[in-house]
Structure formats: C-alpha cells, structure tokens
Amino acid sequence: MDGVYLKRSWGGEIQNVSILVAIGVSKDGCREIIGAAEGMKEDKESWHSFFVWLKERGLTGVRLIIGDKNLGMLETIPEVFPDARYQRCTVHFYRNIFSVTPRKKMKTVAMMLKAIHAQESKEAAREKSRQVAEKLQEMKLSSDAKKLQDGIEETLTYMDFPTQHWTRIRTNNTIERLNREIKRRTKAIGAFPDGQSALMLVCARLRHVAGTQWGARRYMNMDHLIHMENEQQSDTIAG
C-alpha cells in the first residue's frame, strides 16, 4: 500500500492530492493491481474509506500489509483487516534514520542497519539491533539510536513468514516502481483539472503495467506460505 502525490486544481488553487494504490500477490503468486482511489490526504479517513472499498469489492485473506509508517494506515488496519500483520518498509525506515545522521557517518550507519535485517531469525535481529543501538550511542548518535529502538520491531514482521519470501516482503519496492512510472507519465501534464482526471490517468497507467510481464510473471511461490500455515495449524491442534 502507498500513496502517490499529484498536483490538482481545487477552488482556483493548485494543491497536492494523493492517489492511494494497493497491489497484492494472489494465490498463484502473481502480482495484481488491487485498486486505486483518490485519497485527498493520506489521513485515517482516506485510508479507512480505501480499505473498506477494497473489502466490499471482495478482498479477503490478507496476511500482510507492507507500507511506509503512515499513522492513518496503521490506525485503520486493525479495524478493517484485523487478521493482517503490518510490515514497515525497511528502506523507508533507513531513510528515516538517515534524516538525523551526519553525512560523514551515513555509510557506516547504513552498513550497521543492513546487518540487522541480514540476520537469520527475528531473535537474532532483535539482539543485533540492541548491539547496533549501543554502538550508535558510543558514536554520539543518540537520535539515530532512538529512532532505531522506537521503530525496529515494525520492520521485523516479515521474519514470521517463509524465508523464501523475505526479500520480497520486507520493503514496498514493487509499488515504489509503479509510483515512479506514474510520476514519469504525469509529470508532463502538470496540474490536473480535478481529482477524477488524475485518477483516470493513474488507473490507465496501472492497467498498462498490469498487462505486461509485471503481472504475468510469478513473483512469489505461495506454496511456501501454505506449507508454513499448515504446519502451524498442525502444531496448534497437537498442542
């Protein structure tokens, strides 16, 4: 899930408007454009309306929602998709920490952060994050350390899923590529006369992308997820 910002005319003024976009991976492992809608702002009301709309159209079986840390989205997920887990995009998490990192220490901090998500288990990643936080404190980077400690757990949800899927589900890079394609196409237009025209062009571009190999190629082997869930269910019954 993500929102892409475009320019639109509103009451004689040029304002930003967000188009909320959702993509998913179906049971056959292929990516699909689930939906897109005008969100005005990425607030709770916009995300709630978007999620309810997706659910009313038949979206079920959501296991994981991946996105940047948007409070409106986070508050809405438990209300509309109570069984879904939330994964904060690790790339956006790094960028958030880099916002308070001195330029000269950026490369070192980046390597330290990547080491956390290179661990083989959630327990190991948690331990590594504690070590990194301590090291950041020693480097006089207390702001970096605080952001790490406050947000690390949200970035480790992917480790509760099959290891074969980890590189696919720990970031929202897939939807970021779509956003770049949308912005590339809309940049020449400038400001749209209204939100509906902006949405129509975005949807046209999304349909074009979905009709290419992007949507036809298997992105993930969902058998790994089914096998893991069956094992968990067997363990629960046995317990």
Side-chain angles (χ1 to χ4, degrees):
M1 304 280 189
D2 200 9
V4 55
Y5 279 90
L6 302 175
K7 299 288 186 182
R8 61 163 289 186
S9 298
W10 182 261
E13 298 180 355
I14 302 300
Q15 297 182 354
N16 287 328
V17 60
S18 67
I19 302 296
L20 306 182
V21 180
I23 67 173
V25 180
S26 59
K27 290 182 179 179
D28 62 6
C30 293
R31 288 172 291 186
E32 295 183 10
I33 307 293
I34 300 175
E38 185 179 357
M40 293 301 293
K41 297 182 294 184
E42 287 191 76
D43 55 9
K44 182 179 180 180
E45 183 179 352
S46 297
W47 279 111
H48 186 272
S49 298
F50 186 50
F51 282 5
V52 169
W53 176 66
L54 294 176
K55 197 169 187 177
E56 289 176 343
R57 291 175 55 231
L59 179 61
T60 60
V62 179
R63 307 292 202 279
L64 182 70
I65 294 178
I66 309 165
D68 190 13
K69 187 168 184 177
N70 180 282
L71 294 180
M73 179 195 295
L74 290 177
E75 292 174 358
T76 303
I77 290 174
E79 297 177 8
V80 185
F81 296 109
D83 296 328
R85 307 284 301 281
Y86 167 69
Q87 165 67 32
R88 183 178 181 182
C89 173
T90 55
V91 173
H92 284 85
F93 177 60
Y94 294 167
R95 290 173 184 168
N96 183 251
I97 294 178
F98 294 156
S99 67
V100 295
T101 306
R103 183 177 295 274
K104 291 182 179 180
K105 298 182 179 180
M106 195 86 72
K107 186 175 181 180
T108 300
V109 172
M111 293 176 62
M112 293 165 65
L113 295 176
K114 289 178 181 179
I116 297 173
H117 296 100
Q119 300 303 307
E120 73 282 0
S121 68
K122 182 179 281 190
E123 292 71 24
R126 285 169 174 160
E127 177 57 33
K128 187 65 176 178
S129 71
R130 284 192 287 269
Q131 296 173 5
V132 170
E134 291 176 359
K135 181 64 176 177
L136 290 172
Q137 292 285 6
E138 294 174 3
M139 295 168 63
K140 309 299 183 184
L141 299 175
S142 56
S143 296
D144 294 57
K146 187 177 188 309
K147 283 182 175 291
L148 172 61
Q149 293 168 325
D150 290 345
I152 187 61
E153 194 64 27
E154 296 172 325
T155 72
L156 302 179
T157 310
Y158 73 94
M159 290 185 166
D160 293 328
F161 291 84
T163 56
Q164 297 89 344
H165 294 176
W166 285 8
T167 57
R168 299 293 199 189
I169 63 175
R170 65 187 178 195
T171 72
N172 59 355
N173 284 350
T174 298
I175 204 166
E176 285 286 323
R177 295 190 186 99
L178 280 182
N179 287 347
R180 286 196 295 271
E181 175 63 20
I182 291 171
K183 290 178 179 179
R184 184 188 69 80
R185 181 66 182 84
T186 58
K187 185 176 181 180
I189 296 176
F192 289 88
D194 53 55
Q196 187 61 29
S197 59
L199 180 60
M200 288 176 63
L201 181 58
V202 168
C203 288
R205 204 61 201 164
L206 291 175
R207 284 193 293 270
H208 168 75
V209 173
T212 65
Q213 283 296 313
W214 183 94
R217 186 172 63 237
R218 187 162 79 162
Y219 186 67
M220 292 164 60
N221 184 348
M222 302 305 284
D223 291 340
H224 297 305
L225 178 61
I226 295 172
H227 178 70
M228 185 192 77
E229 291 183 339
N230 287 339
E231 282 192 336
Q232 292 175 343
Q233 187 175 18
S234 297
D235 292 342
T236 300
I237 294 173

